[in-house]
């Protein structure tokens, strides 16, 4: 189980950094669905990895990050 949660955490780091890099180099727009999916799923991956260690700062930060991404995804889709 530890390897699974750790893999999700690494996915989260890679997804969020990729999203940031793609927007910074103007490959994606901040309002694009792909950008928001990378941010939202990346944040959730970090949350899942942080829960077993009771590492609350990244849990809170990334729950909020995922909620924001979720709201924007809904706005894009609807």
């Amino acid at each position: 189980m530890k390897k699974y949660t750790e893999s999700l955490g690494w996915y989260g780091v890679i997804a969020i950094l990729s999203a940031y890099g793609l927007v910074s180099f103007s490959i994606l727009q901040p309002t694009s669905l792909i950008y928001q999916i990378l941010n939202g799923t990346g944040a959730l991956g970090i949350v899942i990895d942080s829960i077993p260690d009771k590492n609350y700062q990244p849990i809170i930060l990334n729950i909020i990050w995922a909620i924001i991404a979720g709201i924007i995804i809904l706005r894009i889709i609807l």
Side-chain angles (χ1 to χ4, degrees):
M1 185 63 135
K2 177 73 174 159
K3 286 188 180 208
Y4 176 71
T5 59
E6 194 169 310
S7 295
L8 288 175
W10 278 112
Y11 164 78
V13 169
I14 291 167
I16 290 173
L17 288 175
S18 296
Y20 179 70
L22 290 168
V23 165
S24 294
F25 290 108
S26 299
I27 296 168
L28 291 177
Q29 295 299 315
T31 55
S32 81
L33 184 60
I34 294 170
Y35 173 74
Q36 296 301 331
I37 289 172
L38 285 170
N39 268 320
T41 60
L44 291 174
I46 293 171
V47 167
I48 291 168
D49 185 39
S50 300
I51 288 172
D53 299 329
K54 296 180 181 173
N55 199 352
Y56 297 112
Q57 292 91 345
I59 292 171
I60 298 301
L61 171 69
N62 285 289
I63 285 173
I64 294 167
W65 196 286
I67 289 169
I68 293 169
I71 291 168
I72 302 304
I73 288 169
L74 288 174
R75 288 177 64 185
I76 291 169
I77 291 173
L78 303 174

